[in-house]
Amino acid sequence: MGKVTRIDRPIRDTLGEGALWCARDGAFYWVDILAPALNRLVLESGEISRWDMPEPLGWVVEHGAGGFVGGFRSGIARITLDPLTIGPRSGPEAHLPGNRMNDGKADAEGAIWCGTMDMAEEADSGSLYRLSPSGQWARMDSGYRVPNGPGISPCGRWLYHADSARRIIYRFARSDDGLTDRRTFVEFGEEDGYPDGMNCDADGYLWVAHWDGGRISRFAPDGRLDRAIAIPARRITNMAFCGEGLDRLFVTSAAIGLPPSEDDGAIFEVETGLRGNPAYPYTGPISG
């Protein structure tokens, strides 16, 4: 348990992110935000594919009608593969051309939760948004420098979201009215690096990637550190539980700002002995 295996491939990601298990395709998807590109690893065959994107791409989720929804710098768009098509982009921040989408995922109700940030990482202009199944945007929180997550508990009661620049992971209570009761869940020290992408497992524990910390950690629902697993790369960015049993954990990393190496910017499989939660599709329309 805890064994880490690097997945062999010729390309290293500048900024790997957006980890997604797609049961429909039997594949692990992830993005390279700054390449920009979308990657796919088919678990049964081990085949890896990569598609160039027209602008920075922070995340993808499945769409209930087929294909994917992608969070691009300028907004969201439908994506289909084989052949590649990308629809028109729309989003909530046309008034903030210096911002981009960073991280996001869909919930069990078919909504998308995603964060935006200043591309230059200088202004606290980022926000956390919810795109409802009816296609309506709502800003749920604001004032972020580098938003990451979210992680949603399997019971649906809690949502976790980080401001990586502040080294803080927040926990929100979810309700019919949106999010309430924002509290600091975990605060990283300098030796921990920065909290990056995250995902909850089937037991309701939160897994967090450590940017500049070279590891992933599992936190109990009360914020207690349960375990930490070292990863050979320095800048760990995200993870997703994959496979039929949701028991194969794949982890992404970034090579940006680091000297060339075999591990930085690679993806890894980590044995945990635990199961994750299914990824959900977005079920609504895409409109401005």
Side-chain angles (χ1 to χ4, degrees):
M1 190 176 300
K3 178 183 177 182
V4 178
T5 303
R6 188 182 71 236
I7 306 301
D8 289 331
R9 64 190 183 107
I11 296 175
R12 295 293 178 266
D13 294 314
T14 303
L15 183 52
E17 253 286 6
L20 172 72
W21 164 243
C22 177
R24 178 191 64 199
D25 298 345
F28 169 58
Y29 287 88
W30 74 102
V31 304
D32 185 343
I33 294 177
L34 298 180
L38 173 63
N39 303 289
R40 178 180 68 195
L41 167 63
V42 179
L43 265 57
E44 184 174 357
S45 67
E47 178 186 5
I48 295 177
S49 304
R50 185 174 172 97
W51 292 268
D52 292 335
M53 293 288 122
E55 63 181 60
L57 175 66
W59 50 265
V60 291
V61 302
E62 289 183 60
H63 194 284
F68 299 87
V69 180
F72 289 91
R73 176 176 181 174
S74 59
I76 65 169
R78 286 288 298 274
I79 301 173
T80 61
L81 304 174
D82 302 321
L84 174 66
T85 65
I86 300 172
R89 291 178 282 284
S90 63
E93 292 191 341
H95 61 296
L96 294 173
N99 274 14
R100 69 167 175 85
M101 296 278 182
N102 190 52
D103 202 0
K105 59 173 54 75
D107 64 20
E109 291 75 41
I112 291 175
W113 296 81
C114 58
T116 61
M117 61 176 282
D118 175 25
M119 189 79 175
E121 300 184 22
E122 295 176 352
D124 296 337
S125 60
S127 295
L128 171 63
Y129 289 93
R130 179 180 184 267
L131 178 62
S132 74
S134 64
Q136 301 300 309
W137 288 99
R139 187 168 65 179
M140 312 304 294
D141 200 22
S142 60
Y144 288 84
R145 179 72 56 86
V146 181
N148 268 298
I152 301 172
S153 65
C155 66
R157 182 179 176 185
W158 309 108
L159 183 141
Y160 303 90
H161 197 237
D163 191 329
S164 298
R166 292 184 172 89
R167 291 193 166 100
I168 294 176
I169 302 172
Y170 300 107
R171 190 186 76 173
F172 298 83
R174 298 181 72 206
S175 69
D176 292 341
D177 297 325
L179 300 180
T180 60
D181 194 26
R182 187 181 89 168
R183 298 187 180 187
T184 295
F185 177 69
V186 173
E187 188 166 1
F188 277 24
E190 187 173 350
E191 69 280 3
D192 300 316
Y194 301 85
D196 207 302
M198 60 191 69
N199 220 327
C200 285
D201 63 27
D203 296 322
Y205 284 56
L206 182 69
W207 288 83
V208 181
H210 290 243
W211 176 279
D212 278 347
R215 63 188 184 273
I216 57 176
S217 292
R218 183 186 193 233
F219 293 94
D222 62 3
R224 171 180 50 86
L225 177 64
D226 174 74
R227 71 179 73 175
I229 301 174
I231 308 291
R234 178 176 173 181
R235 294 183 165 168
I236 311 305
T237 55
N238 214 321
M239 78 285 290
F241 285 92
C242 303
E244 286 188 16
L246 295 172
D247 55 0
R248 300 179 64 181
L249 185 64
F250 286 87
V251 176
T252 61
S253 69
I256 186 171
L258 300 174
S261 76
E262 291 186 338
D263 293 320
D264 295 307
I267 58 169
F268 304 87
E269 182 173 0
V270 181
E271 293 182 8
T272 66
L274 299 167
R275 292 168 53 90
N277 299 295
Y280 298 102
Y282 172 61
T283 59
I286 297 174
S287 59

